[in-house]
Amino acid sequence: MEWLTLLDGAPLVAQANRLTGRNWPRLAGSDVIGPLLDAAEEAGVSVGFLGGSYLIQRLLSRRLTITRPKLIIAGMWSPERATLANHNDSLELARTIREAGPHLLVVGLGKPRQELWMAKYGVETGANVLLAFGAVVDFLAGAMMRAPAWASGNGLEWAWRLALEPRRLARRYLLDDPPSLLQLRRHSSVIQTGVSDLVPRQPAAPLLTGIPDGKFVPDGEPADVVVYVVTYNSEPAIHTLMASLRREARSLRLRVIVADNDSTDGTLHSLSKYPDAYALSTGGNLGYATGINAAHRVSGQASSVLVLNPDLEVLPGSIAALYRRLVTSDAGLVVPQLLESDGSTSMSLRREPTVATAFGDAFLGSKFPTRPGWLAETDYALESYQNAHRIEWATGAAIMVRADLAERIGDWDEQFFLYSEEVDYFKRAREAGETAWYEPLAQMVHHGGGSGTSTELNALLAVNRVRYVRKYHDARYATWFRNGVALTELLRFYKPTRLSIFRTIMDEASWESLPGPTATEHMVRVLEAFPVGTVIIPAHNEAAVIGRTLACLAPVLGTGRVEVIVACNGCDDDTAAIARTFTGVVVLEVETASKVAALNAADKTASHWPRLYLDADISMSPTTLRMVFSRLGKGDVLAARPSFRYDDCSASWPVRAFYRARRRISSTHEALWGAGAYALTEQGHVRFAEFPAVTADDLFVDQQFGWNEKAVLHTPPVIVVTPRNVKGLMAVLRRNYRGKAELGRLAAPEPSGAAPSQTAHHTLKALLSSVRSPASAIDALCYAGFAVAARLRRGRVGAAGPTAWERDDSSRDGTGKR
């Protein structure tokens, strides 16, 4: 088929005028259908109509008989949506149309269903010309009035139609179209080539080459895809998955890593039959996210990451189809079509959980699948599973991620032992400015049973949905969402176990008894032969948080291989007293309220290298500390920091918008500053004799090293709690910009190979490039507004040199909790 696209909307016309400097007419299908039918009647060309209800078609037939008595009507077809979504039924419909023999087929199935159906089955209809004319059947039948000339002439026909059909068109015009218009403005251009080249072509996918005998790529060699499989008592299913991966490895280079969560059956023994797959034990039943993170730390070099459930069967060519979609589109993540064991389509596509979807699902369940999307978390529309398109998220049985994006997003959130970890991962990808795609050319059979099923697991599924919403929304919103989830179970009390799940949701004290990690053995392995080093914690009036920070390090203190120094500077609270309650912690008391004075005093006392400098309100796990010290012990870099994640769940909307925008700026993920933790080797510390009298010590350290001398490590993230209110955010930003100004006055030469210092111009450029949608544009405006205000006010803070302690206290409270 060849396609001709009409400029049928005011935005298209406006963009065409802007690009070409000419005035183009708006031409919609409803404008040309009359002249086309007149010409068909005169020339004896047969016409068919596909779409519209049976009643509309009867009205159309009666009206055409009166207005165009000589028009040859080959037939009218009014298929159900289920027919259009079913491949075999659609082929049968196309054959029926072919037998009727229309030369001209008017297709009015609605956007984008009509274009998708035509692209797949249009040739089978045998029609010479197919017209995707949407509501034109309703217009011809007289069932719907066209917009008056003043409305269409001023680009307001959409508003007219929205007023007539608000329930059907509100999502398209108010939610779906604005991001599309933004993409149109950003990415359309005039192509100065011949007519044959007017259709833009996607770049060719890289040539995929596998290993003929289906062997997996060993560690140390580059791979197209590295596959992570997390197992737990998965012996019955693992052979089917591994055999299907072996077949896929003949067409592209696969590396397979299996992270086993302490299986008690023969899973690991079964994996021994695949010696070219790397199997590792996580050290306990630590959860799905923890298993993925463990696999990622030994992933090696690859272009993409594919996370698979152990109870899947990958159908031939599916991984290659996912990979092609990843490299030929704007996709950061891609998911396949999941099939049930009987071959039916699994309803795996999802929308972001909201209060509206929770109550919609509670009252309607899977009934009324065509209800508005904002009332259903699951996408029940069958046609959604027939074509590739952008999605919000999908069930986590199979997800392919670009390798660079996986590094940028960081660890899967391990607070979700099972369920909701994929919702969180997709959310963080969207916040990073990336898009997720569904690719139906990739198919995998989900046989089920990978994690088993029980009342406790079903309760955990419901509870983790609430935990996820609490992570990103305020307490009032999360309470309403929990009520909606609980109502789902209560309204189905007549089904076994549902009343028990309802009680669990409402009784938060029982949540701790739900399935969770058994990590004793894991911690023993983490602490075994722990690398030597020093942790230095500067603390000024940190009584509210220092106990929590040291409690996280207590297991490491017990090894006797790590010294922890708390340098209390200018404290007039109980910080020092609390720190002394931890056995093995060295407490210094510096009279001056200066962070750099505390750092320098601790350096003179410390005896071990490497040294990690940790803010007093940052909690770090033993696993993270071990990974930082181990990496610096290799000697290939002089400085490093762990991954970090912003916790803004208690923040006001403007603050959350600011940090959403910051997440999308690449420098946030590439420098040593921002995590509240960085580490140096002894050789790295030689770059400066002592910390200078500046506010931004982490930025100062970052500027001492070139990109090849420092590393941002893929570790379990430390959590950086953001300010809760605008006042706290402004305090942080003023301090940050003052620190940058102080470093500018130092005028220290940058090391060879160092990245240029970030300027307002670089930040603005990165901020603009992060805008992908109206929502991200609003976030960027918030970021810019706060940045400008903080820059203007940084000089009004008085004598706020390094001895003045200006910080955000809104993220600290008297309980020591975040």
Side-chain angles (χ1 to χ4, degrees):
M1 291 180 62
E2 294 183 2
W3 292 81
L4 175 65
T5 302
L6 301 181
L7 293 177
D8 65 342
L12 292 174
V13 173
Q15 183 71 346
N17 293 344
R18 186 181 70 85
L19 291 174
T20 64
R22 294 176 50 190
N23 288 323
W24 293 85
R26 177 178 174 273
L27 191 63
S30 48
D31 295 318
V32 299
I33 189 63
L36 282 173
L37 293 181
D38 291 342
E41 183 179 25
E42 183 177 346
V45 171
S46 61
V47 180
F49 295 88
L50 173 62
S53 67
Y54 177 81
L55 175 61
I56 292 296
Q57 290 191 352
R58 299 283 66 79
L59 291 174
L60 175 62
S61 177
R62 184 180 308 166
R63 188 160 184 168
L64 290 178
T65 300
I66 297 172
T67 59
R68 294 183 173 85
K70 296 182 181 180
L71 182 66
I72 302 173
I73 300 178
M76 296 182 177
W77 298 270
S78 179
E80 300 288 337
R81 292 183 68 178
T83 298
L84 299 172
N86 183 279
H87 176 66
N88 291 330
D89 290 347
S90 289
L91 284 176
E92 182 60 32
L93 172 62
R95 282 192 285 268
T96 301
I97 295 173
R98 177 185 287 270
E99 291 172 359
H103 297 97
L104 186 69
L105 182 63
V106 181
V107 184
L109 301 175
K111 296 179 182 295
R113 190 180 305 116
Q114 60 196 14
E115 288 83 6
L116 297 171
W117 193 91
M118 288 166 53
K120 197 168 185 179
Y121 305 104
V123 173
E124 303 298 326
T125 66
N128 299 86
V129 176
L130 295 91
L131 305 173
F133 278 2
V136 77
V137 174
D138 294 323
F139 293 144
L140 288 173
M144 185 181 300
M145 186 185 304
R146 281 206 66 190
W150 65 264
S152 57
N154 289 281
L156 294 175
E157 186 164 358
W158 66 273
W160 175 271
R161 292 196 59 195
L162 178 60
L164 294 179
E165 299 181 278
R167 294 181 61 184
R168 187 172 75 88
L169 298 176
R171 180 179 179 87
R172 181 200 300 179
Y173 288 144
L174 302 181
L175 297 180
D176 294 341
D177 279 358
S180 300
L181 295 178
L182 181 62
Q183 294 294 318
L184 174 71
R185 290 281 297 183
R186 292 183 62 186
H187 300 301
S188 57
S189 60
V190 176
I191 304 174
Q192 303 294 343
T193 55
V195 174
S196 61
D197 295 323
L198 285 179
V199 179
R201 293 177 171 82
Q202 288 182 323
L207 181 63
L208 305 178
T209 57
I211 300 175
D213 60 1
K215 286 188 176 180
F216 304 134
V217 176
D219 188 22
E221 296 185 15
D224 295 314
V225 182
V226 57
V227 180
Y228 304 157
V229 183
V230 180
T231 56
Y232 176 70
N233 293 339
S234 306
E235 183 185 19
I238 197 65
H239 285 298
T240 300
L241 173 62
M242 297 301 288
S244 64
L245 290 176
R246 184 76 79 197
R247 181 181 58 238
E248 293 295 280
R250 297 189 182 101
S251 62
L252 72 169
R253 296 174 62 83
L254 292 184
R255 178 161 44 253
V256 177
I257 301 173
V258 181
D260 184 71
N261 265 333
D262 206 23
S263 294
T264 56
D265 64 355
T267 300
L268 288 175
H269 176 71
S270 299
L271 289 170
S272 65
K273 299 178 181 179
Y274 306 91
D276 49 341
Y278 181 68
L280 62 93
S281 174
T282 63
N285 184 14
L286 306 181
Y288 194 65
T290 304
I292 295 172
N293 295 336
H296 190 70
R297 289 176 194 122
V298 295
S299 62
Q301 182 182 354
S303 300
S304 62
V305 170
L306 177 61
V307 179
L308 296 179
N309 271 16
D311 53 0
L312 286 174
E313 179 183 0
V314 181
L315 298 187
S318 292
I319 297 181
L322 291 175
Y323 188 75
R324 288 193 184 95
R325 172 60 61 183
L326 200 66
V327 301
T328 59
S329 70
D330 64 346
L333 310 91
V334 188
V335 300
Q337 181 180 28
L338 294 182
L339 305 176
E340 303 290 356
S341 297
D342 61 3
S344 61
T345 298
S346 173
M347 300 287 104
S348 60
L349 303 184
R350 299 287 192 270
R351 302 180 182 93
E352 178 68 10
T354 64
V355 168
T357 61
F359 279 92
D361 289 338
F363 286 111
L364 302 175
S366 60
K367 297 178 180 179
F368 305 105
T370 59
R371 66 182 185 259
W374 55 272
L375 283 176
E377 185 174 321
T378 300
D379 187 347
Y380 293 108
L382 293 176
E383 58 267 22
S384 294
Y385 296 84
Q386 304 302 311
N387 63 283
H389 60 94
R390 294 181 181 88
I391 60 172
E392 292 188 354
W393 70 280
T395 53
I399 305 171
M400 181 176 283
V401 189
R402 276 199 336 265
D404 66 295
L405 177 59
E407 291 294 331
R408 186 149 51 95
I409 295 177
D411 274 2
W412 290 56
D413 193 336
E414 297 180 6
Q415 74 165 302
F416 303 108
F417 173 73
L418 193 65
Y419 310 123
S420 290
E421 63 278 296
E422 75 270 49
V423 198
D424 177 76
Y425 197 78
F426 277 94
K427 170 82 169 178
R428 288 157 58 198
R430 293 198 304 274
E431 289 183 339
E434 298 288 345
T435 59
W437 277 74
Y438 166 74
E439 178 50 77
L441 295 179
Q443 294 183 322
M444 302 184 188
V445 182
H446 194 193
H447 293 293
S451 303
T453 183
S454 66
T455 303
E456 291 76 16
L457 287 177
N458 289 333
L460 180 64
L461 170 63
V463 166
N464 274 358
R465 294 181 65 208
V466 178
R467 286 170 171 160
Y468 167 78
V469 170
R470 285 182 175 176
K471 178 177 176 180
Y472 292 101
H473 296 275
D474 59 36
R476 181 180 298 179
Y477 189 96
T479 298
W480 277 104
F481 183 84
R482 186 189 70 165
N483 293 340
V485 173
L487 185 63
T488 301
E489 307 302 323
L490 183 61
L491 293 178
R492 291 152 184 82
F493 68 92
Y494 52 88
K495 295 184 178 181
T497 76
R498 302 301 284 269
L499 200 55
S500 174
I501 296 174
F502 167 76
R503 294 193 187 101
T504 300
I505 296 170
M506 300 307 296
D507 179 17
E508 293 201 26
S510 67
W511 291 11
E512 296 302 322
S513 64
L514 292 173
T518 55
T520 303
E521 183 181 352
H522 172 68
M523 184 55 65
V524 170
R525 294 188 181 188
V526 169
L527 298 178
E528 184 179 0
F530 204 91
V532 173
T534 296
V535 177
I536 294 175
I537 305 174
H540 171 74
N541 290 343
E542 298 286 10
V545 294
I546 192 65
R548 181 196 61 237
T549 301
L550 292 175
C552 293
L553 297 174
V556 175
L557 282 166
T559 66
R561 300 175 64 82
V562 175
E563 63 178 352
V564 176
I565 302 174
V566 177
C568 301
N569 49 105
C571 293
D572 54 18
D573 65 354
D574 295 331
T575 301
I578 295 172
R580 288 192 176 98
T581 64
F582 289 85
T583 303
V585 173
V586 176
V587 179
L588 305 179
E589 294 197 59
V590 180
E591 292 184 2
T592 306
S594 166
K595 182 179 182 180
V596 293
L599 295 174
N600 289 328
D603 268 334
K604 293 176 182 177
T605 303
S607 54
H608 298 328
W609 294 98
R611 292 177 187 170
L612 179 104
Y613 302 88
L614 181 68
D615 286 356
D617 63 331
I618 301 294
S619 298
M620 176 176 289
S621 70
T623 300
T624 300
L625 182 61
R626 181 185 185 113
M627 294 177 68
V628 173
F629 281 173
S630 296
R631 177 59 186 278
L632 291 179
K634 293 181 178 179
D636 59 332
V637 293
L638 303 178
R641 74 154 170 85
S643 300
F644 74 92
R645 178 171 60 81
Y646 290 125
D647 178 0
D648 58 3
C649 61
S650 298
S652 62
W653 181 88
V655 175
R656 293 203 304 270
F658 175 89
Y659 281 98
R660 282 196 300 266
R662 173 172 278 189
R663 289 184 185 100
R664 301 184 183 110
I665 297 176
S666 59
S667 61
T668 304
H669 310 279
E670 297 168 354
L672 297 180
W673 51 264
Y678 58 87
L680 299 171
T681 65
E682 184 174 12
Q683 183 182 358
H685 200 291
V686 169
R687 288 285 171 88
F688 52 96
E690 61 179 15
F691 288 92
V694 295
T695 304
D697 59 291
D698 50 0
L699 180 58
F700 166 77
V701 170
D702 182 70
Q703 291 179 351
Q704 307 309 304
F705 305 99
W707 292 119
N708 59 334
E709 297 177 314
K710 59 187 176 183
V712 175
L713 306 182
H714 186 82
T715 66
V718 299
I719 308 302
V720 178
V721 180
T722 70
R724 293 177 180 173
N725 52 45
V726 170
K727 180 181 178 182
L729 177 59
M730 288 298 295
V732 170
L733 293 179
R734 287 196 299 268
R735 186 181 70 229
N736 290 347
Y737 288 125
R738 188 175 65 249
K740 290 182 180 180
E742 292 167 354
L743 290 175
R745 289 195 295 270
L746 286 179
E750 292 181 341
S752 176
S757 299
Q758 190 178 26
T759 65
H761 172 73
H762 293 129
T763 302
L764 179 60
K765 185 176 180 181
L767 190 64
L768 291 175
S769 66
S770 72
V771 175
R772 302 288 182 87
S773 66
S776 62
I778 293 173
D779 292 343
L781 285 173
C782 282
Y783 184 98
F786 279 120
V788 170
R791 284 178 182 271
L792 292 176
R793 296 183 60 186
R794 71 168 185 260
R796 303 177 190 173
V797 187
T803 60
W805 207 269
E806 184 187 18
R807 68 178 181 188
D808 159 55
D809 286 316
S810 68
S811 58
R812 297 166 169 88
D813 60 33
T815 65
K817 296 181 180 179
R818 292 183 176 222

